[in-house]
Amino acid sequence: MPIVGVEDKRKQQLIDAALSSIAELGLQKTTIISISQRAGMSSGIISHYFGGKQGLVEAALRHLLDKLGRSFLEKIQQTDGSAKARILCIIEANFTEFQRSELAARTWLSFWARSMHEPGLKRLQQINNARLCSNLRFAFAQCMTRQEAQDAARQTAAMIDGFWLRSALSVDPDENFASGEALCKSFALSFIDTQ
Amino acid sequence: MPIVGVEDKRKQQLIDAALSSIAELGLQKTTIISISQRAGMSSGIISHYFGGKQGLVEAALRHLLDKLGRSFLEKIQQTDGSAKARILCIIEANFTEFQRSELAARTWLSFWARSMHEPGLKRLQQINNARLCSNLRFAFAQCMTRQEAQDAARQTAAMIDGFWLRSALSVDPDENFASGEALCKSFALSFIDTQ
DNA sequence: ATTTTTATTGATTGAACGTTCAATTAAGGA
DNA sequence: TCCTTAATTGAACGTTCAATCAATAAAAAT
C-alpha cells in the first residue's frame, strides 16, 4: 500500500496514536505495538520515521508544547495588552489546553516523570517552563517591582502546575480543573485589583 | 548467615535500599537487582518479605508518608494551636520532609506518576492528600467562612505540590525549594495577617 | 512492460526484568 | 551430636519489549 510523499502525514498519525496510547495506558505501558496498532500500521514504521520509540515520544511532547504556545498567542491577540488580560490569557491557555481532562492531566504527569531521566524531554519542559514564567513575570511587572513580579510569577506557575498534578491524581479530575482555573485566576488577579 | 527474628530489621533495610535506588535511578529504572545490591542481599529476598517488587514499593511509599505525618505532629505540639501556627507547621512539614533535595523531589514525582496506574499507591496518595487538605481547611476556617477556607486550602495545597514538582524538574532544585517554602508561607499567611 | 525507487511489513533477535524454588546455611532444641 | 526450623541464596524460567532487516508491495521512471 505504499503511497509516496506522505512522510509528514504519517508522522502526524503516529504522534496522534502515541498521545492516544499515553493518555489511555500511560507512558509506562505504552509500547511500540500499542502505538502502531492505534495508527493501523506495523511496528517497524516507528523506528523508520522517528529513529526509535524515544524519538516519537519527544516529537509527541514537542507537539503538545507547540499547541500550548499557539493557544496562548491566539488568545492574547484578541485582547488589549493590559496586565490583567495577559494574566487571564496565560492561565486560560494553561487550563483550556485541548480539553482539560483526566486523560490530558495523566499525559502531562507521564511526560513530567519521564523527563527526569531523559535529557531530551527535560530540555523541552524547561524551555516551556521558562516561557511560562517569563510571560507571567512580564505581566506582573506592569504593576509591581521586579522582585515582587518574580515572586508572583513563581507562585502562579506553581499553583497552575499543582492543580494539573492534583487533577491527574484526583478521583474527580473535572471538579478539580474547574475550581483550579478559577482559583488560579482569583489568586493572580488579587495582585492587580488591589492596586 | 541466617539470624533469627530479624524480619522487621530486614524489611526496613530493604525499604531504605529501595528509597535510595528510587532517588538515584528513578522508579522506572529501579529493579529488584538494584535494590538488593544496595541492601547487600540476594534478589529473592524481596519476594520473600514483600511478596514482590510492587509490595516493597508500596511499603516504601507508606514509610515516606508516615514520616511526613509524624513530622507535622511533632511540629504542631511545640506551638499554640493558632491558625497561623498550624499553617506554618503544615507548610514547613511539607518542605522540610527528609531534607528537601533534588533526590527527594524526584522520589515524590516518581511515586506520583506510578500511582496513576497502581491502585495501591493511588490509595495511599489520596489518603495523604485528604489529610493535607483537611488540616489546611481546619486552620483557615478559624478566620474565614467555610467556603473561603476550602478555596484557600486548595490553593495552598496546589502551590505546595507545584513547588515540589518544579523542584524535581528544575535545573536548580535547591534554590527552587528555598523560595518555594517562603512563597507558600507568604501566600497562606496573607489570608490571616490582613484580618 | 520492465526497472528503479520509495514505503511498509512483521518475524526474529537479544537484552532486561520479576518471579520461582530447590539448595544451602546456620541457629536453636533435643 | 543430630535434627529441626528459620533465613537466605541465586540460577533458571518465562515474559515483555525495542530494535533490526530482509522481504514485499506499490508507485514512478524508463
Side-chain angles (χ1 to χ4, degrees):
Chain A
M1 304 180 194
I3 308 164
V4 297
V6 289
E7 177 159 336
D8 287 347
K9 190 174 178 182
R10 287 280 175 281
K11 281 190 173 182
Q12 189 55 49
Q13 288 172 329
L14 286 169
I15 286 174
D16 290 342
L19 289 173
S20 155
S21 173
I22 292 168
E24 191 181 331
L25 307 176
L27 198 36
Q28 161 107 185
K29 292 184 180 174
T30 285
T31 71
I32 279 191
I33 302 289
S34 78
I35 296 171
S36 52
Q37 273 185 348
R38 276 155 216 264
M41 307 178 205
S42 88
S43 64
I45 205 82
I46 290 175
S47 291
H48 179 250
Y49 278 124
F50 293 95
K53 185 191 174 189
Q54 175 180 330
L56 174 52
V57 169
E58 277 190 35
L61 176 56
R62 201 174 282 115
H63 182 252
L64 282 190
L65 295 177
D66 282 353
K67 232 169 155 182
L68 182 62
R70 282 199 305 275
S71 169
F72 168 66
L73 288 180
E74 281 172 20
K75 282 182 194 293
I76 198 68
Q77 281 167 0
Q78 296 169 356
T79 69
D80 57 352
S82 73
K84 185 170 178 173
R86 294 192 82 85
I87 287 169
L88 287 177
C89 281
I90 295 168
I91 295 174
E92 278 169 18
N94 271 278
F95 274 95
T96 296
E97 233 350 66
F98 31 99
Q99 76 260 9
R100 60 212 188 178
S101 70
E102 183 178 23
L103 293 184
R106 288 186 179 206
T107 301
W108 279 113
L109 182 46
S110 285
F111 278 121
W112 280 329
R114 175 143 314 195
S115 66
M116 289 193 294
H117 308 288
E118 279 192 18
L121 297 186
K122 187 164 196 168
R123 218 181 114 266
L124 291 175
Q125 299 276 16
Q126 280 168 354
I127 290 171
N128 183 63
N129 176 47
R131 192 178 57 187
L132 170 60
C133 283
S134 163
N135 282 338
L136 284 168
R137 234 183 303 124
F138 178 78
F140 280 124
Q142 293 182 15
C143 46
M144 53 184 87
T145 70
R146 185 178 301 273
Q147 179 60 46
E148 284 170 341
Q150 162 89 317
D151 288 348
R154 284 188 168 176
Q155 288 173 311
T156 307
M159 198 181 283
I160 291 172
D161 287 354
F163 274 112
W164 271 89
L165 174 61
R166 294 180 149 260
S167 292
L169 302 178
S170 166
V171 281
D172 187 352
D174 289 335
E175 189 251 356
N176 216 298
F177 265 120
S179 64
E181 178 171 0
L183 291 175
C184 282
K185 284 183 182 176
S186 104
F187 166 68
L189 294 184
S190 71
F191 288 106
I192 290 174
D193 290 338
T194 61
Q195 307 219 347
Chain B
M1 307 178 192
I3 309 164
V4 298
V6 289
E7 178 158 336
D8 287 346
K9 190 174 178 183
R10 287 281 174 278
K11 280 190 174 182
Q12 189 55 52
Q13 287 172 329
L14 286 169
I15 287 174
D16 291 341
L19 289 173
S20 155
S21 173
I22 293 168
E24 191 182 330
L25 306 176
L27 199 36
Q28 159 109 183
K29 293 185 180 174
T30 285
T31 70
I32 276 191
I33 302 289
S34 78
I35 296 171
S36 53
Q37 274 184 348
R38 276 156 215 264
M41 308 178 203
S42 87
S43 62
I45 204 83
I46 290 175
S47 292
H48 180 249
Y49 278 124
F50 293 95
K53 185 191 175 188
Q54 176 180 330
L56 173 52
V57 169
E58 278 190 34
L61 176 56
R62 201 173 282 115
H63 182 252
L64 283 190
L65 295 177
D66 281 354
K67 231 169 155 183
L68 182 61
R70 282 199 306 275
S71 170
F72 168 67
L73 289 180
E74 282 172 18
K75 282 182 193 295
I76 198 68
Q77 280 166 1
Q78 297 168 356
T79 68
D80 57 352
S82 74
K84 186 170 178 173
R86 295 191 82 86
I87 287 169
L88 288 178
C89 281
I90 295 168
I91 295 175
E92 277 169 19
N94 272 279
F95 275 95
T96 297
E97 235 349 70
F98 30 97
Q99 72 260 8
R100 60 218 186 172
S101 70
E102 183 178 22
L103 294 184
R106 289 186 179 206
T107 300
W108 279 112
L109 182 45
S110 285
F111 278 120
W112 279 329
R114 177 145 310 195
S115 67
M116 288 192 295
H117 308 289
E118 279 192 18
L121 297 186
K122 187 164 194 167
R123 219 181 115 264
L124 290 175
Q125 298 277 16
Q126 279 168 353
I127 290 172
N128 183 63
N129 176 47
R131 192 179 56 186
L132 170 61
C133 284
S134 163
N135 283 338
L136 284 168
R137 233 183 304 125
F138 177 78
F140 281 123
Q142 293 184 14
C143 47
M144 54 184 87
T145 70
R146 185 178 301 274
Q147 178 61 46
E148 284 169 340
Q150 162 90 316
D151 289 348
R154 283 188 167 176
Q155 288 172 311
T156 306
M159 198 181 283
I160 291 172
D161 287 353
F163 273 111
W164 271 89
L165 174 60
R166 296 181 148 259
S167 292
L169 302 177
S170 166
V171 280
D172 188 352
D174 288 334
E175 189 250 355
N176 216 299
F177 263 119
S179 64
E181 180 171 358
L183 290 175
C184 282
K185 284 184 183 175
S186 104
F187 166 68
L189 294 184
S190 72
F191 287 106
I192 290 175
D193 290 336
T194 61
Q195 306 220 351

